[in-house]
Amino acid sequence: IREGASLASMLAALQTGLPVLLADAVSALDPALHEDLAQLASDLESALAEDLPTLARDGGFVADGWDAALDESRSLRRDSRQIIAELQARYCDETGISALKIKFNNVLGYFVEVSHNHGDKLLGHDTFIHRQTLANSVRFTTPELSELERDISSAADKAIAIELYLFEQLCTQVRDCASELMTVARGLAGLDVASALAELAIENNYARPTLSEDKRFDIVKGRHPVVEAVLKQDDNSHFTANDCQLEDKQ
């Protein structure tokens, strides 16, 4: 979209005198006519990651920084160890127990563990909830730790759900611009055909015919593009140009 708009601006100065079909193609790319497309292009560039998955359901296609909730879920999933370490350091400061640890197992999940010497101190603390007493340690949880555990375990699924929601938003934005996209596509297609034929004419030394109102048909050293191309594949073959003159009533 941006390339088409840039091309239109570049060709605007040349538009006077262009053939009608080519002039129409250039006009279709006029950025002033497609403000919604400019916004769509900007949003897609900002929203989409550089390396995109094959399927949207795989996730990872929305760029970091596009959606705050998605960034939070990704950060929680990616940086869970750092987050737990920071929470442990804070609990150590709040309780004055430097040996306090936050650990994990498949039975209790995340829990706070202290030695028996410090167990009684946490039992009388409003924040810490007793979970288990062992021979050498006492284990606790907190509302904050329990909530964090839920968030970490659901972070991956939540991130995918957010991405799919954002994907539908972008799809809706694209559908809303369908008419403008078709206009730009036709303009680009017209320029593509014109430039391809121009390049072909230069490479093969084609001559542009002169059209007149009379009924005379006059070809000098005419060549058949398809037959000539086939013969070029055979090193021993050469297309012989032919003249053709037809007058009125012939």
Side-chain angles (χ1 to χ4, degrees), residues 42-234:
S42 176
D43 288 347
L44 291 177
E45 182 177 23
S46 299
L48 298 180
E50 291 186 8
D51 297 322
L52 300 176
T54 303
L55 300 174
R57 70 187 182 198
D58 294 335
F61 57 87
V62 176
D64 290 336
W66 178 251
D67 184 83
L70 177 60
D71 290 344
E72 182 180 353
S73 293
R74 284 177 172 172
S75 176
L76 189 60
R77 180 183 60 185
R78 182 174 56 240
D79 305 327
S80 58
R81 284 189 178 183
Q82 179 63 30
I83 294 172
I84 290 295
E86 291 175 356
L87 182 61
Q88 176 179 297
R90 179 155 61 83
Y91 283 168
C92 288
D93 290 340
E94 291 177 357
T95 61
I97 304 173
S98 60
L100 179 150
K101 302 293 182 183
I102 294 181
K103 297 183 178 181
F104 177 86
N105 64 34
N106 292 329
V107 177
L108 296 180
Y110 286 100
F111 56 87
V112 175
E113 183 175 271
V114 296
S115 66
H116 269 295
N117 294 336
H118 300 294
D120 291 341
K121 184 176 182 179
L122 293 190
L123 284 171
H125 200 292
D126 293 337
T127 302
F128 295 88
I129 303 168
H130 180 257
R131 293 290 304 276
Q132 191 177 37
T133 298
L134 301 178
N136 298 316
S137 62
V138 185
R139 293 171 176 175
F140 298 84
T141 188
T142 69
E144 182 181 14
L145 182 59
S146 298
E147 183 178 354
L148 180 58
E149 180 179 1
R150 288 194 299 270
D151 290 342
I152 291 174
S153 64
S154 65
D157 292 338
K158 184 177 180 181
I160 292 293
I162 293 173
E163 283 202 78
L164 292 177
Y165 171 74
L166 296 174
F167 179 74
E168 286 302 319
Q169 283 189 322
L170 292 172
C171 287
T172 298
Q173 193 173 350
V174 171
R175 284 193 293 268
D176 291 343
C177 293
S179 177
E180 291 178 85
L181 285 170
M182 288 298 296
T183 299
V184 170
R186 283 193 292 267
L188 289 174
L191 289 178
D192 183 43
V193 171
S195 62
L197 291 177
E199 182 178 356
L200 188 65
I202 293 173
E203 290 178 352
N204 294 281
N205 196 29
Y206 292 159
R208 181 181 177 182
T210 300
L211 303 180
S212 63
E213 297 293 335
D214 59 40
K215 298 180 180 180
R216 184 164 52 91
F217 184 75
D218 188 2
I219 296 179
V220 178
K221 294 183 179 181
R223 295 141 57 200
H224 193 295
V226 176
V227 175
E228 185 177 38
V230 172
L231 291 176
K232 280 183 178 180
Q233 297 176 3
D234 187 347

